[in-house]
Amino acid sequence: MTRYRGNRLNTESLWYGLYNKSIELGMWNPEALMDEIGFEEDKEIWQNLDDKEKEQVRRILVAFLDGEFEVGDDAVHHLQTIMDAPCLEDNEMKQMYMTSFALTEHKHTQFLDIYIENVMDGFDDYTDLNPRGEARVPIVEATGVGEVYEHQGRLTAKASETHDPVDIARAAACYHLDVEGILARTGFFAINKMSANAPLPLLNRGFKFISTDEGRHLTHGVRLLQELLEKERNGEPEYQGVGDAIVEVLNEDTPPMAEFAYMITDSVDDPLDVGFSNLLMRGGEFVDGMYNESLDLDYDSMEYVERIRHRYQDIDDSEIQADLEKLREEYQVKRGA
Ligand SMILES: [Fe+2]
Ligand SMILES: [Fe+2]
């Protein structure tokens, strides 16, 4: 992983390796990419999409935008502190990696925010209010995606205060497995599918970089959880409950995940052919890969798929529309005040 040895630094550490990789691979420059490719072609393709196609692209991008904003915020305020927890090994290298981790999340926000502003015709924009929790993009808040981000904020805040291994497992499960794993990866899959009919060159290049960065983030999350699980399995008392906590968090986040998939497909009639069932199957594969192959948790991924399907069947679009209206009114009132 490295050719060099240090004195203070453990250059053999996985986290040193992730840090080193981020210096090299994570240093793509969003503005340089924009200079190189330009906005013109994306703008032209965007303007030729019909209203529903635009709405589908817009929904997925604002879900990412709110998500990147919140993971960036939680990385700085909470993950950085969690990496100092005495129950974790290799604290210094983990903390060192976390600096580049947070930087990458901010770059993702930077890319998406500038892209949306320059290529698309804007969106329900309430960023003059506090976008964190108080004024997420209405469609993100009206469907369950906002709930997952909220959950992530609560769990990472708690773990950063308690430094308890089970709390850390909950926080990492929500942040890395649910948000960066299942939600982001099914999102990347949807972006890829959409690009067949809406081949936005700058967007697709940006997302290639984002998904490579997220691959490292996921490696960090999975290895962190493996470390905690190993101690639980070795019978160390403080770590008991880690495995159950990881699965509980997944179960808590499953219904909102179904709403996310619905929000970016059938609720706009899926004009760009993403396919709700494609997302469902991809999600099931990710769950199987992470929870069973990587973490050996013996989780029934078909149960996950069934829970998503049930929530999907229960979704009442008129409720989402009513929530959207209510939120817009609330935001207007806040803005007026
Ligand atoms: Fe990100
Ligand atoms: Fe990430």
Side-chain angles (χ1 to χ4, degrees):
M1 210 172 266
T2 175
R3 290 169 292 151
Y4 302 112
R5 306 200 78 155
N7 177 11
R8 293 189 175 197
L9 305 183
N10 172 13
T11 57
E12 312 267 292
S13 155
L14 168 89
W15 280 272
Y16 176 84
L18 288 171
Y19 167 81
N20 215 18
K21 264 194 190 165
S22 342
I23 292 180
E24 195 188 335
L25 301 171
M27 286 304 128
W28 63 284
N29 177 344
E31 285 207 3
L33 190 68
M34 289 162 185
D35 289 342
E36 183 197 324
I37 301 180
F39 296 109
E40 286 65 33
E41 208 180 327
D42 287 62
K43 260 184 180 163
E44 204 184 311
I45 294 170
W46 170 258
Q47 276 155 9
N48 285 322
L49 297 177
D50 67 32
D51 286 350
K52 286 217 158 160
E53 291 170 333
K54 282 183 179 168
E55 182 59 18
Q56 189 169 22
V57 178
R58 194 187 333 252
R59 283 189 177 197
I60 184 151
L61 293 193
V62 294
F64 265 102
L65 178 67
D66 266 354
E68 296 293 358
F69 187 85
E70 301 203 24
V71 289
D73 203 33
D74 285 335
V76 172
H77 292 105
H78 306 137
L79 298 192
Q80 187 75 44
T81 321
I82 293 171
M83 294 309 115
D84 208 19
C87 67
L88 297 177
E89 289 169 11
D90 227 356
N91 296 98
E92 285 81 8
M93 295 302 101
K94 285 191 172 94
Q95 285 207 309
M96 196 162 143
Y97 172 54
M98 209 37 70
T99 58
S100 63
F101 183 111
L103 173 67
T104 2
E105 298 298 15
H106 287 112
K107 274 166 51 184
H108 300 168
T109 304
Q110 177 193 8
F111 176 79
L112 286 161
D113 191 48
I114 297 177
Y115 183 88
I116 291 169
E117 187 66 16
N118 284 274
V119 173
M120 295 159 54
D121 322 316
F123 57 96
D124 281 334
D125 185 352
Y126 296 90
T127 37
D128 51 324
L129 308 173
N130 176 6
R132 175 82 210 225
E134 311 228 356
R136 289 191 189 93
V137 177
I139 188 63
V140 178
E141 188 67 359
T143 57
V145 195
E147 271 173 52
V148 181
Y149 298 157
E150 191 115 359
H151 198 205
Q152 167 200 299
R154 283 200 309 274
L155 294 179
T156 53
K158 186 172 182 211
S160 74
E161 271 174 32
T162 65
H163 279 182
D164 174 80
V166 176
D167 288 341
I168 294 174
R170 273 183 209 286
C174 182
Y175 190 116
H176 303 295
L177 304 187
D178 295 356
V179 175
E180 296 183 302
I182 302 168
L183 282 178
R185 289 190 153 204
T186 51
F188 296 145
F189 174 80
I191 298 261
N192 274 336
K193 288 282 284 179
M194 288 196 289
S195 72
N197 295 316
L200 300 152
L202 176 59
L203 185 74
N204 290 325
R205 276 285 291 284
F207 264 98
K208 285 217 168 62
F209 285 114
I210 295 176
S211 82
T212 307
D213 292 340
E214 293 301 341
R216 288 191 308 278
H217 297 182
L218 204 52
T219 301
H220 155 81
V222 167
R223 293 296 292 265
L224 182 78
L225 288 166
Q226 282 172 341
E227 183 185 313
L228 295 169
L229 281 166
E230 199 184 311
K231 297 198 169 161
E232 181 187 32
R233 288 165 185 158
N234 285 341
E236 295 187 38
E238 210 194 330
Y239 296 79
Q240 298 310 303
V242 162
D244 286 347
I246 297 169
V247 171
E248 264 166 38
V249 168
L250 173 64
N251 287 334
E252 286 157 11
D253 288 336
T254 301
M257 284 172 181
E259 291 176 38
F260 167 67
Y262 173 77
M263 183 259 267
I264 60 168
T265 56
D266 295 353
S267 77
V268 279
D269 300 332
D270 199 14
L272 295 169
D273 292 327
V274 172
F276 180 85
S277 49
N278 290 331
L279 292 182
L280 186 68
M281 292 325 290
R282 291 301 284 176
E285 286 164 18
F286 292 141
V287 166
D288 196 39
M290 292 190 298
Y291 293 75
N292 294 327
E293 281 167 40
S294 300
L295 300 177
D296 205 10
L297 284 167
D298 203 16
Y299 181 76
D300 181 0
S301 60
M302 283 321 286
E303 187 196 318
Y304 166 83
V305 170
E306 279 314 306
R307 285 164 57 91
I308 293 271
R309 217 193 296 277
H310 277 140
R311 176 65 197 119
Y312 171 71
Q313 282 157 356
D314 279 353
I315 293 174
D316 177 350
D317 201 69
S318 58
E319 270 175 31
I320 295 181
Q321 294 308 322
D323 281 352
L324 266 178
E325 276 316 301
K326 215 175 97 197
L327 275 164
R328 289 191 180 117
E329 276 166 30
E330 279 172 21
Y331 288 177
Q332 290 301 347
V333 170
K334 265 189 203 167
R335 182 176 272 163

